[in-house]
Amino acid sequence: MADSSQTPQSRQLQVETHGLDVIGDAERKGTPTTLFWPWFGANVSILGLSYGAFALGFGISFWQALVAGVIGIVFSFLLCGFIAVAGKRGSAPTMVLSRAAYGVRGNRLPSVISWVLTVGWETVLTALATMATATVFSRLGWGGGTETKVVALIVVGALTVVGGVMGFDLIMRLQTVITVVTGVLTIVYIALVADHIHWTTVSAVPAGSAQEFIGALVFMMTGFGLGWVNAAADYSRYLPRSSSSRGVIGWTTFGASVAPLLLLVFGLLLAGSSSTLNKAVAADPIGALTTILPTWFLVPFAVVAVLGLVGGAVLDIYSSGLALLSAGLRIPRYLAALVDGVLMIAGSVYIVFFADDFLGQFMGFLTTLGVPIAAWSGIMLADLLLRRRDYDEGDLFRPNGRYGDVQPTPLLLTLAATAIGWGLVTNTAASWLSWQGYLLDPLGLGGKSGSWAYANLGVLIALALGFLGTLALGRTRVQRQEAEAPSPEAVPAV
């Protein structure tokens, strides 16, 4: 066992042996401030600039996009902060703590959804890093074709997989380096392209409707905090249980939000100043940003782009491995991360070499999985709010314990909220999701081509139904669970 008196940054690097097990008291170290590094490093990606173009793509003005972005980013990461509290109260991965609401085996459904979401995100980030590298090499005259993409994919994939396999200690060190390097180079990028901003052009972008504003708001939520909420407790579980809950919430929210907020503002100014750049971002969100750079900064830009995207992908692959274990696969954590790495590379190959419309598929992915994740988030948040005691560690792994095997009410609530939510979102840019939006016409919202078609209300509705439904129906269940005597300590199989 590693010396528990050492911090993750000072311990000798080794493959993390922890899987779904609870972190022992001797290994719970640090303060809530340490949460700043992984969350900032995972969200300082230059991709944040592209969200300016994504937001304006809803047909709204600069000020509308800014308000939608601020609310969407801060609120969604605040949800992550609340769920991170569960980590320090239970010292187990997020999708293990979710068993308290769903039951030990009933929790496999949200675990599978969480796994798909995190694998999807790590695939998107790896593909973007690959395409950005190819674009930079092409501008420098060093290639940029298929061979460059293959090499870039191998390098980016290797960095991500190694980080996920090694685990917590390497991730904490890696995120600290990424935070510093990426933060400095991003500031240089902003200084170099600032003269491409034309406020007269930006301020002339016409305002959109309330429905378009809501659509942009929901997109920001699903693109930021709702993409992380299912992994929010995976790092706070290493903190002592005596850590301040307010500190956990505050440092998680601040660390995750500060970089996206700053990048969004600048991204909006850039995209609003040039319709050409705005359209180019849809095809190559990172590579398009190189077109306004001086040649000498292209290599540093590639570094900042790749490091920022790898920072997010590493956290995703770590949490996707934990979600896969929670779904029932009985292998060591590092092998689960390796399995996800293989899937990530296969998915990246499809995006880089075969997919034609990146933005359409990306938005379809976010809104579709955003609905069940929002429903799970609402249930998890309400369940956490109802609890007055820390989680019982042993019973999180025991189907006949206080949390039960399968809890039907949360499962049915998740399914119902998802079904209703999918009926209120549309993804016309992704043909394989054209079946969604089936409730828009019956509810008098104009159908799939009406004014509410792209508001994606389903995400907000699913979040509200999960939260309010659990507050109304889960109180007795939680009280019954907390009335039982503490269980003997248990050791999980994996």
Side-chain angles (χ1 to χ4, degrees), residues 53-122:
F54 298 159
L56 292 177
F58 281 85
I60 56 179
S61 69
F62 168 83
W63 292 111
Q64 286 178 311
L66 180 60
V67 173
V70 171
I71 296 174
I73 291 170
V74 175
F75 176 70
S76 62
F77 278 126
L78 187 61
L79 300 182
C80 292
F82 286 131
I83 290 181
V85 173
K88 72 103 177 179
R89 290 179 62 180
S91 302
T94 312
M95 298 314 298
V96 170
L97 299 170
S98 178
R99 293 174 176 179
Y102 287 87
V104 175
R105 288 195 294 180
N107 189 61
R108 289 181 179 178
L109 173 63
S111 293
V112 168
I113 297 171
S114 173
W115 175 71
V116 173
L117 178 65
T118 46
V119 169
W121 261 113
E122 67 204 42

Side-chain angles (χ1 to χ4, degrees), residues 19 31 49 66 93 103 106-107 151 160 165 203 232-233 239 289 298 306 312 341 361-362 364 383 406 428 479 490 494:
T31 64
L49 290 171
L66 180 60
N107 189 61
V151 173
T160 303
V165 168
S203 60
L239 293 176
L289 299 173
L298 288 175
V306 170
Q361 306 297 327
F362 179 54
D383 184 83
V406 177
T428 54
Q479 290 176 343
V494 290

Side-chain angles (χ1 to χ4, degrees), residues 176-192:
T176 303
V177 173
I178 287 174
T179 295
V180 175
V181 175
T182 307
V184 170
L185 291 179
T186 299
I187 292 173
V188 175
Y189 174 89
I190 290 174
L192 288 174

Side-chain angles (χ1 to χ4, degrees), residues 83-405:
I83 290 181
V85 173
K88 72 103 177 179
R89 290 179 62 180
S91 302
T94 312
M95 298 314 298
V96 170
L97 299 170
S98 178
R99 293 174 176 179
Y102 287 87
V104 175
R105 288 195 294 180
N107 189 61
R108 289 181 179 178
L109 173 63
S111 293
V112 168
I113 297 171
S114 173
W115 175 71
V116 173
L117 178 65
T118 46
V119 169
W121 261 113
E122 67 204 42
T123 300
V124 166
L125 296 175
T126 300
L128 286 175
T130 301
M131 291 190 293
T133 302
T135 301
V136 168
F137 274 54
S138 178
R139 281 205 61 198
L140 289 170
W142 298 349
T146 300
E147 295 83 2
T148 302
K149 292 178 181 177
V150 169
V151 173
L153 180 56
I154 292 173
V155 173
V156 172
L159 286 172
T160 303
V161 172
V162 168
V165 168
M166 290 296 292
F168 180 77
D169 283 357
L170 178 59
I171 288 173
M172 294 298 284
R173 296 189 196 189
L174 183 64
Q175 296 299 70
T176 303
V177 173
I178 287 174
T179 295
V180 175
V181 175
T182 307
V184 170
L185 291 179
T186 299
I187 292 173
V188 175
Y189 174 89
I190 290 174
L192 288 174
V193 301
D195 60 344
H196 288 269
I197 294 174
H198 307 290
W199 176 247
T200 302
T201 306
V202 175
S203 60
V205 175
S209 65
Q211 293 93 330
E212 290 166 333
F213 171 81
I214 294 173
L217 170 64
V218 172
F219 179 74
M220 289 294 173
M221 289 177 59
T222 55
F224 287 100
L226 284 181
W228 289 109
V229 71
N230 55 308
D234 291 354
Y235 303 94
S236 56
R237 67 182 175 134
Y238 282 88
L239 293 176
R241 294 199 183 185
S242 59
S243 300
S244 165
S245 294
R246 290 185 179 180
V248 170
I249 295 169
W251 283 105
T252 298
T253 306
F254 176 68
S257 298
V258 62
L261 287 173
L262 295 174
L263 291 169
L264 173 68
V265 172
F266 199 75
L268 286 171
L269 292 171
L270 282 177
S273 299
S274 171
S275 59
T276 301
L277 178 64
N278 200 344
K279 294 176 182 177
V281 166
D284 187 358
I286 305 297
L289 299 173
T290 67
T291 59
I292 55 177
L293 277 175
T295 304
W296 67 266
F297 192 70
L298 288 175
V299 171
F301 176 85
V303 172
V304 69
V306 170
L307 281 181
L309 294 167
V310 166
V314 165
L315 259 67
D316 275 318
I317 197 171
Y318 179 76
S319 293
S320 70
L322 294 175
L324 188 58
L325 298 181
S326 183
L329 186 64
R330 294 183 175 274
I331 59 175
R333 182 207 59 79
Y334 60 87
L335 285 182
L338 190 60
V339 169
D340 290 348
V342 172
L343 294 175
M344 173 194 75
I345 292 173
S348 299
V349 168
Y350 169 75
I351 294 175
V352 172
F353 297 102
F354 300 103
D356 296 324
D357 175 21
F358 171 81
L359 184 57
Q361 306 297 327
F362 179 54
M363 293 179 69
F365 164 74
L366 288 182
T367 53
T368 298
L369 287 183
V371 170
I373 284 296
W376 172 86
S377 299
I379 291 170
M380 186 71 176
L381 289 165
D383 184 83
L384 182 62
L385 181 62
L386 291 171
R387 295 188 182 279
R388 297 293 178 265
R389 297 169 56 183
D390 288 344
Y391 295 94
D392 187 288
E393 298 174 1
D395 281 349
L396 287 171
F397 303 95
R398 190 177 296 114
N400 60 352
R402 75 187 64 219
Y403 302 124
D405 189 12

